[in-house]
mmCIF file with all atom_site columns, all heavy atoms in Angstrom:
data_model
loop_
_atom_site.group_PDB
_atom_site.id
_atom_site.type_symbol
_atom_site.label_atom_id
_atom_site.label_alt_id
_atom_site.label_comp_id
_atom_site.label_asym_id
_atom_site.label_entity_id
_atom_site.label_seq_id
_atom_site.pdbx_PDB_ins_code
_atom_site.Cartn_x
_atom_site.Cartn_y
_atom_site.Cartn_z
_atom_site.occupancy
_atom_site.B_iso_or_equiv
_atom_site.pdbx_formal_charge
_atom_site.auth_seq_id
_atom_site.auth_comp_id
_atom_site.auth_asym_id
_atom_site.auth_atom_id
_atom_site.pdbx_PDB_model_num
ATOM 1   N N   . MET A 1 1   ? 144.480 148.686 50.225 1.00 43.00 ? 15  MET A N   1
ATOM 2   C CA  . MET A 1 1   ? 143.993 147.399 50.492 1.00 43.00 ? 15  MET A CA  1
ATOM 3   C C   . MET A 1 1   ? 143.671 146.637 49.230 1.00 43.00 ? 15  MET A C   1
ATOM 4   O O   . MET A 1 1   ? 143.370 145.475 49.257 1.00 43.00 ? 15  MET A O   1
ATOM 5   C CB  . MET A 1 1   ? 142.827 147.457 51.402 1.00 43.00 ? 15  MET A CB  1
ATOM 6   C CG  . MET A 1 1   ? 142.387 146.143 52.032 1.00 43.00 ? 15  MET A CG  1
ATOM 7   S SD  . MET A 1 1   ? 140.988 146.350 53.174 1.00 43.00 ? 15  MET A SD  1
ATOM 8   C CE  . MET A 1 1   ? 139.714 146.826 52.078 1.00 43.00 ? 15  MET A CE  1
ATOM 9   N N   . HIS A 1 22  ? 142.356 116.635 47.463 1.00 97.00 ? 36  HIS A N   1
ATOM 10  C CA  . HIS A 1 22  ? 142.980 115.273 47.407 1.00 97.00 ? 36  HIS A CA  1
ATOM 11  C C   . HIS A 1 22  ? 142.177 114.339 48.198 1.00 97.00 ? 36  HIS A C   1
ATOM 12  O O   . HIS A 1 22  ? 141.941 113.140 47.819 1.00 97.00 ? 36  HIS A O   1
ATOM 13  C CB  . HIS A 1 22  ? 144.455 115.428 47.960 1.00 97.00 ? 36  HIS A CB  1
ATOM 14  C CG  . HIS A 1 22  ? 145.160 114.068 48.069 1.00 97.00 ? 36  HIS A CG  1
ATOM 15  N ND1 . HIS A 1 22  ? 145.537 113.358 46.895 1.00 97.00 ? 36  HIS A ND1 1
ATOM 16  C CD2 . HIS A 1 22  ? 145.414 113.261 49.093 1.00 97.00 ? 36  HIS A CD2 1
ATOM 17  C CE1 . HIS A 1 22  ? 146.089 112.327 47.275 1.00 97.00 ? 36  HIS A CE1 1
ATOM 18  N NE2 . HIS A 1 22  ? 146.037 112.157 48.586 1.00 97.00 ? 36  HIS A NE2 1
ATOM 19  N N   . ASP A 1 58  ? 135.256 98.264  67.364 1.00 97.00 ? 72  ASP A N   1
ATOM 20  C CA  . ASP A 1 58  ? 134.466 98.473  68.480 1.00 97.00 ? 72  ASP A CA  1
ATOM 21  C C   . ASP A 1 58  ? 133.430 99.640  68.303 1.00 97.00 ? 72  ASP A C   1
ATOM 22  O O   . ASP A 1 58  ? 132.280 99.550  68.733 1.00 97.00 ? 72  ASP A O   1
ATOM 23  C CB  . ASP A 1 58  ? 135.271 98.737  69.727 1.00 97.00 ? 72  ASP A CB  1
ATOM 24  C CG  . ASP A 1 58  ? 136.137 97.554  70.209 1.00 97.00 ? 72  ASP A CG  1
ATOM 25  O OD1 . ASP A 1 58  ? 135.716 96.477  69.911 1.00 97.00 ? 72  ASP A OD1 1
ATOM 26  O OD2 . ASP A 1 58  ? 137.075 97.794  70.800 1.00 97.00 ? 72  ASP A OD2 1
ATOM 27  N N   . LYS A 1 79  ? 130.774 119.411 82.006 1.00 92.00 ? 93  LYS A N   1
ATOM 28  C CA  . LYS A 1 79  ? 130.747 120.773 82.424 1.00 92.00 ? 93  LYS A CA  1
ATOM 29  C C   . LYS A 1 79  ? 131.110 120.990 83.867 1.00 92.00 ? 93  LYS A C   1
ATOM 30  O O   . LYS A 1 79  ? 131.901 121.970 84.204 1.00 92.00 ? 93  LYS A O   1
ATOM 31  C CB  . LYS A 1 79  ? 129.332 121.417 82.219 1.00 92.00 ? 93  LYS A CB  1
ATOM 32  C CG  . LYS A 1 79  ? 129.001 121.674 80.748 1.00 92.00 ? 93  LYS A CG  1
ATOM 33  C CD  . LYS A 1 79  ? 127.492 121.939 80.604 1.00 92.00 ? 93  LYS A CD  1
ATOM 34  C CE  . LYS A 1 79  ? 127.105 123.075 81.416 1.00 92.00 ? 93  LYS A CE  1
ATOM 35  N NZ  . LYS A 1 79  ? 125.613 123.320 81.340 1.00 92.00 ? 93  LYS A NZ  1
ATOM 36  N N   . PHE A 1 142 ? 130.498 139.589 58.427 1.00 82.00 ? 156 PHE A N   1
ATOM 37  C CA  . PHE A 1 142 ? 130.350 138.266 58.922 1.00 82.00 ? 156 PHE A CA  1
ATOM 38  C C   . PHE A 1 142 ? 129.263 138.325 59.993 1.00 82.00 ? 156 PHE A C   1
ATOM 39  O O   . PHE A 1 142 ? 129.446 139.033 61.038 1.00 82.00 ? 156 PHE A O   1
ATOM 40  C CB  . PHE A 1 142 ? 131.688 137.738 59.507 1.00 82.00 ? 156 PHE A CB  1
ATOM 41  C CG  . PHE A 1 142 ? 131.807 136.242 59.545 1.00 82.00 ? 156 PHE A CG  1
ATOM 42  C CD1 . PHE A 1 142 ? 132.453 135.534 58.541 1.00 82.00 ? 156 PHE A CD1 1
ATOM 43  C CD2 . PHE A 1 142 ? 131.149 135.535 60.611 1.00 82.00 ? 156 PHE A CD2 1
ATOM 44  C CE1 . PHE A 1 142 ? 132.632 134.171 58.672 1.00 82.00 ? 156 PHE A CE1 1
ATOM 45  C CE2 . PHE A 1 142 ? 131.283 134.218 60.709 1.00 82.00 ? 156 PHE A CE2 1
ATOM 46  C CZ  . PHE A 1 142 ? 132.029 133.470 59.671 1.00 82.00 ? 156 PHE A CZ  1
ATOM 47  N N   . ILE A 1 144 ? 126.819 138.730 62.952 1.00 60.00 ? 158 ILE A N   1
ATOM 48  C CA  . ILE A 1 144 ? 126.959 138.660 64.484 1.00 60.00 ? 158 ILE A CA  1
ATOM 49  C C   . ILE A 1 144 ? 125.640 138.355 64.952 1.00 60.00 ? 158 ILE A C   1
ATOM 50  O O   . ILE A 1 144 ? 124.567 138.964 64.740 1.00 60.00 ? 158 ILE A O   1
ATOM 51  C CB  . ILE A 1 144 ? 127.411 140.045 64.913 1.00 60.00 ? 158 ILE A CB  1
ATOM 52  C CG1 . ILE A 1 144 ? 128.839 140.378 64.353 1.00 60.00 ? 158 ILE A CG1 1
ATOM 53  C CG2 . ILE A 1 144 ? 127.414 140.036 66.460 1.00 60.00 ? 158 ILE A CG2 1
ATOM 54  C CD1 . ILE A 1 144 ? 129.231 141.750 64.629 1.00 60.00 ? 158 ILE A CD1 1
ATOM 55  N N   . LEU A 1 173 ? 143.100 133.034 62.788 1.00 68.00 ? 187 LEU A N   1
ATOM 56  C CA  . LEU A 1 173 ? 142.489 133.397 61.473 1.00 68.00 ? 187 LEU A CA  1
ATOM 57  C C   . LEU A 1 173 ? 141.610 134.645 61.574 1.00 68.00 ? 187 LEU A C   1
ATOM 58  O O   . LEU A 1 173 ? 141.671 135.482 60.701 1.00 68.00 ? 187 LEU A O   1
ATOM 59  C CB  . LEU A 1 173 ? 141.619 132.208 61.044 1.00 68.00 ? 187 LEU A CB  1
ATOM 60  C CG  . LEU A 1 173 ? 140.921 132.312 59.617 1.00 68.00 ? 187 LEU A CG  1
ATOM 61  C CD1 . LEU A 1 173 ? 141.950 132.685 58.564 1.00 68.00 ? 187 LEU A CD1 1
ATOM 62  C CD2 . LEU A 1 173 ? 140.192 131.052 59.306 1.00 68.00 ? 187 LEU A CD2 1
ATOM 63  N N   . GLN A 1 198 ? 119.998 148.822 64.967 1.00 90.00 ? 212 GLN A N   1
ATOM 64  C CA  . GLN A 1 198 ? 120.458 150.127 64.551 1.00 90.00 ? 212 GLN A CA  1
ATOM 65  C C   . GLN A 1 198 ? 122.004 150.167 64.391 1.00 90.00 ? 212 GLN A C   1
ATOM 66  O O   . GLN A 1 198 ? 122.519 150.648 63.377 1.00 90.00 ? 212 GLN A O   1
ATOM 67  C CB  . GLN A 1 198 ? 120.089 151.152 65.624 1.00 90.00 ? 212 GLN A CB  1
ATOM 68  C CG  . GLN A 1 198 ? 120.544 152.606 65.377 1.00 90.00 ? 212 GLN A CG  1
ATOM 69  C CD  . GLN A 1 198 ? 120.234 153.544 66.503 1.00 90.00 ? 212 GLN A CD  1
ATOM 70  O OE1 . GLN A 1 198 ? 120.376 153.188 67.647 1.00 90.00 ? 212 GLN A OE1 1
ATOM 71  N NE2 . GLN A 1 198 ? 119.884 154.768 66.163 1.00 90.00 ? 212 GLN A NE2 1
ATOM 72  N N   . ASP A 1 264 ? 129.509 147.807 45.288 1.00 95.00 ? 278 ASP A N   1
ATOM 73  C CA  . ASP A 1 264 ? 130.551 146.753 45.220 1.00 95.00 ? 278 ASP A CA  1
ATOM 74  C C   . ASP A 1 264 ? 130.111 145.414 45.684 1.00 95.00 ? 278 ASP A C   1
ATOM 75  O O   . ASP A 1 264 ? 130.949 144.392 45.637 1.00 95.00 ? 278 ASP A O   1
ATOM 76  C CB  . ASP A 1 264 ? 131.728 147.267 45.974 1.00 95.00 ? 278 ASP A CB  1
ATOM 77  C CG  . ASP A 1 264 ? 132.361 148.532 45.381 1.00 95.00 ? 278 ASP A CG  1
ATOM 78  O OD1 . ASP A 1 264 ? 132.220 148.782 44.162 1.00 95.00 ? 278 ASP A OD1 1
ATOM 79  O OD2 . ASP A 1 264 ? 133.094 149.209 46.111 1.00 95.00 ? 278 ASP A OD2 1
ATOM 80  N N   . ASN A 1 275 ? 113.327 124.960 53.377 1.00 69.00 ? 289 ASN A N   1
ATOM 81  C CA  . ASN A 1 275 ? 112.381 126.116 53.629 1.00 69.00 ? 289 ASN A CA  1
ATOM 82  C C   . ASN A 1 275 ? 113.117 127.413 53.495 1.00 69.00 ? 289 ASN A C   1
ATOM 83  O O   . ASN A 1 275 ? 112.383 128.403 53.361 1.00 69.00 ? 289 ASN A O   1
ATOM 84  C CB  . ASN A 1 275 ? 111.823 126.012 55.036 1.00 69.00 ? 289 ASN A CB  1
ATOM 85  C CG  . ASN A 1 275 ? 110.377 126.540 55.119 1.00 69.00 ? 289 ASN A CG  1
ATOM 86  O OD1 . ASN A 1 275 ? 109.498 126.282 54.237 1.00 69.00 ? 289 ASN A OD1 1
ATOM 87  N ND2 . ASN A 1 275 ? 110.175 127.472 56.004 1.00 69.00 ? 289 ASN A ND2 1
ATOM 88  N N   . ALA A 1 299 ? 126.224 123.416 61.175 1.00 86.00 ? 313 ALA A N   1
ATOM 89  C CA  . ALA A 1 299 ? 125.475 123.537 62.484 1.00 86.00 ? 313 ALA A CA  1
ATOM 90  C C   . ALA A 1 299 ? 126.407 123.856 63.652 1.00 86.00 ? 313 ALA A C   1
ATOM 91  O O   . ALA A 1 299 ? 127.608 123.742 63.513 1.00 86.00 ? 313 ALA A O   1
ATOM 92  C CB  . ALA A 1 299 ? 124.672 122.243 62.759 1.00 86.00 ? 313 ALA A CB  1
ATOM 93  N N   . PRO A 1 316 ? 130.875 117.128 51.307 1.00 98.00 ? 330 PRO A N   1
ATOM 94  C CA  . PRO A 1 316 ? 131.180 116.709 52.689 1.00 98.00 ? 330 PRO A CA  1
ATOM 95  C C   . PRO A 1 316 ? 132.611 116.989 53.105 1.00 98.00 ? 330 PRO A C   1
ATOM 96  O O   . PRO A 1 316 ? 133.583 116.796 52.334 1.00 98.00 ? 330 PRO A O   1
ATOM 97  C CB  . PRO A 1 316 ? 130.911 115.233 52.754 1.00 98.00 ? 330 PRO A CB  1
ATOM 98  C CG  . PRO A 1 316 ? 129.925 115.015 51.598 1.00 98.00 ? 330 PRO A CG  1
ATOM 99  C CD  . PRO A 1 316 ? 130.340 115.983 50.548 1.00 98.00 ? 330 PRO A CD  1
ATOM 100 N N   . GLU A 1 320 ? 137.601 115.865 58.143 1.00 97.00 ? 334 GLU A N   1
ATOM 101 C CA  . GLU A 1 320 ? 137.484 116.462 59.428 1.00 97.00 ? 334 GLU A CA  1
ATOM 102 C C   . GLU A 1 320 ? 136.302 115.734 60.252 1.00 97.00 ? 334 GLU A C   1
ATOM 103 O O   . GLU A 1 320 ? 136.408 115.684 61.510 1.00 97.00 ? 334 GLU A O   1
ATOM 104 C CB  . GLU A 1 320 ? 137.143 117.968 59.253 1.00 97.00 ? 334 GLU A CB  1
ATOM 105 C CG  . GLU A 1 320 ? 138.280 118.807 58.824 1.00 97.00 ? 334 GLU A CG  1
ATOM 106 C CD  . GLU A 1 320 ? 139.394 118.947 59.919 1.00 97.00 ? 334 GLU A CD  1
ATOM 107 O OE1 . GLU A 1 320 ? 139.119 118.629 61.083 1.00 97.00 ? 334 GLU A OE1 1
ATOM 108 O OE2 . GLU A 1 320 ? 140.519 119.213 59.534 1.00 97.00 ? 334 GLU A OE2 1
ATOM 109 N N   . VAL A 1 321 ? 135.252 115.416 59.580 1.00 98.00 ? 335 VAL A N   1
ATOM 110 C CA  . VAL A 1 321 ? 134.120 114.848 60.171 1.00 98.00 ? 335 VAL A CA  1
ATOM 111 C C   . VAL A 1 321 ? 133.793 113.340 59.635 1.00 98.00 ? 335 VAL A C   1
ATOM 112 O O   . VAL A 1 321 ? 133.976 113.195 58.436 1.00 98.00 ? 335 VAL A O   1
ATOM 113 C CB  . VAL A 1 321 ? 132.828 115.680 60.046 1.00 98.00 ? 335 VAL A CB  1
ATOM 114 C CG1 . VAL A 1 321 ? 131.655 115.070 60.644 1.00 98.00 ? 335 VAL A CG1 1
ATOM 115 C CG2 . VAL A 1 321 ? 133.079 117.118 60.606 1.00 98.00 ? 335 VAL A CG2 1
ATOM 116 N N   . GLU A 1 337 ? 129.276 104.673 50.154 1.00 98.00 ? 351 GLU A N   1
ATOM 117 C CA  . GLU A 1 337 ? 128.267 103.708 49.717 1.00 98.00 ? 351 GLU A CA  1
ATOM 118 C C   . GLU A 1 337 ? 126.979 104.371 49.303 1.00 98.00 ? 351 GLU A C   1
ATOM 119 O O   . GLU A 1 337 ? 126.061 103.587 48.950 1.00 98.00 ? 351 GLU A O   1
ATOM 120 C CB  . GLU A 1 337 ? 128.047 102.783 50.968 1.00 98.00 ? 351 GLU A CB  1
ATOM 121 C CG  . GLU A 1 337 ? 129.227 101.961 51.398 1.00 98.00 ? 351 GLU A CG  1
ATOM 122 C CD  . GLU A 1 337 ? 128.945 101.106 52.620 1.00 98.00 ? 351 GLU A CD  1
ATOM 123 O OE1 . GLU A 1 337 ? 128.560 101.666 53.653 1.00 98.00 ? 351 GLU A OE1 1
ATOM 124 O OE2 . GLU A 1 337 ? 129.280 99.879  52.598 1.00 98.00 ? 351 GLU A OE2 1
ATOM 125 N N   . GLN A 1 350 ? 132.357 114.032 65.368 1.00 97.00 ? 364 GLN A N   1
ATOM 126 C CA  . GLN A 1 350 ? 133.280 115.148 65.120 1.00 97.00 ? 364 GLN A CA  1
ATOM 127 C C   . GLN A 1 350 ? 134.397 115.115 66.179 1.00 97.00 ? 364 GLN A C   1
ATOM 128 O O   . GLN A 1 350 ? 134.423 114.160 66.973 1.00 97.00 ? 364 GLN A O   1
ATOM 129 C CB  . GLN A 1 350 ? 132.562 116.441 65.125 1.00 97.00 ? 364 GLN A CB  1
ATOM 130 C CG  . GLN A 1 350 ? 131.355 116.554 66.143 1.00 97.00 ? 364 GLN A CG  1
ATOM 131 C CD  . GLN A 1 350 ? 131.796 117.117 67.426 1.00 97.00 ? 364 GLN A CD  1
ATOM 132 O OE1 . GLN A 1 350 ? 132.595 116.608 68.056 1.00 97.00 ? 364 GLN A OE1 1
ATOM 133 N NE2 . GLN A 1 350 ? 131.106 118.218 67.829 1.00 97.00 ? 364 GLN A NE2 1
ATOM 134 N N   . VAL A 1 384 ? 108.566 117.758 65.670 1.00 81.00 ? 398 VAL A N   1
ATOM 135 C CA  . VAL A 1 384 ? 107.191 117.439 65.822 1.00 81.00 ? 398 VAL A CA  1
ATOM 136 C C   . VAL A 1 384 ? 106.546 118.407 66.784 1.00 81.00 ? 398 VAL A C   1
ATOM 137 O O   . VAL A 1 384 ? 107.046 118.671 67.855 1.00 81.00 ? 398 VAL A O   1
ATOM 138 C CB  . VAL A 1 384 ? 106.969 115.983 66.416 1.00 81.00 ? 398 VAL A CB  1
ATOM 139 C CG1 . VAL A 1 384 ? 105.533 115.664 66.675 1.00 81.00 ? 398 VAL A CG1 1
ATOM 140 C CG2 . VAL A 1 384 ? 107.526 114.956 65.434 1.00 81.00 ? 398 VAL A CG2 1
ATOM 141 N N   . GLU A 1 403 ? 101.628 121.807 48.552 1.00 92.00 ? 417 GLU A N   1
ATOM 142 C CA  . GLU A 1 403 ? 100.426 121.634 47.785 1.00 92.00 ? 417 GLU A CA  1
ATOM 143 C C   . GLU A 1 403 ? 99.518  122.873 47.660 1.00 92.00 ? 417 GLU A C   1
ATOM 144 O O   . GLU A 1 403 ? 98.723  123.009 46.739 1.00 92.00 ? 417 GLU A O   1
ATOM 145 C CB  . GLU A 1 403 ? 99.577  120.473 48.446 1.00 92.00 ? 417 GLU A CB  1
ATOM 146 C CG  . GLU A 1 403 ? 100.213 119.110 48.358 1.00 92.00 ? 417 GLU A CG  1
ATOM 147 C CD  . GLU A 1 403 ? 99.481  118.090 49.110 1.00 92.00 ? 417 GLU A CD  1
ATOM 148 O OE1 . GLU A 1 403 ? 98.560  118.449 49.969 1.00 92.00 ? 417 GLU A OE1 1
ATOM 149 O OE2 . GLU A 1 403 ? 99.822  116.914 49.031 1.00 92.00 ? 417 GLU A OE2 1
#
Side-chain angles (χ1 to χ4, degrees):
M15 191 175 67
H36 179 70
D72 292 334
K93 285 167 58 184
F156 204 99
I158 297 171
L187 183 55
Q212 180 186 36
D278 293 337
N289 211 51
E334 290 290 340
V335 177
E351 298 176 306
Q364 39 90 302
V398 175
E417 291 173 352

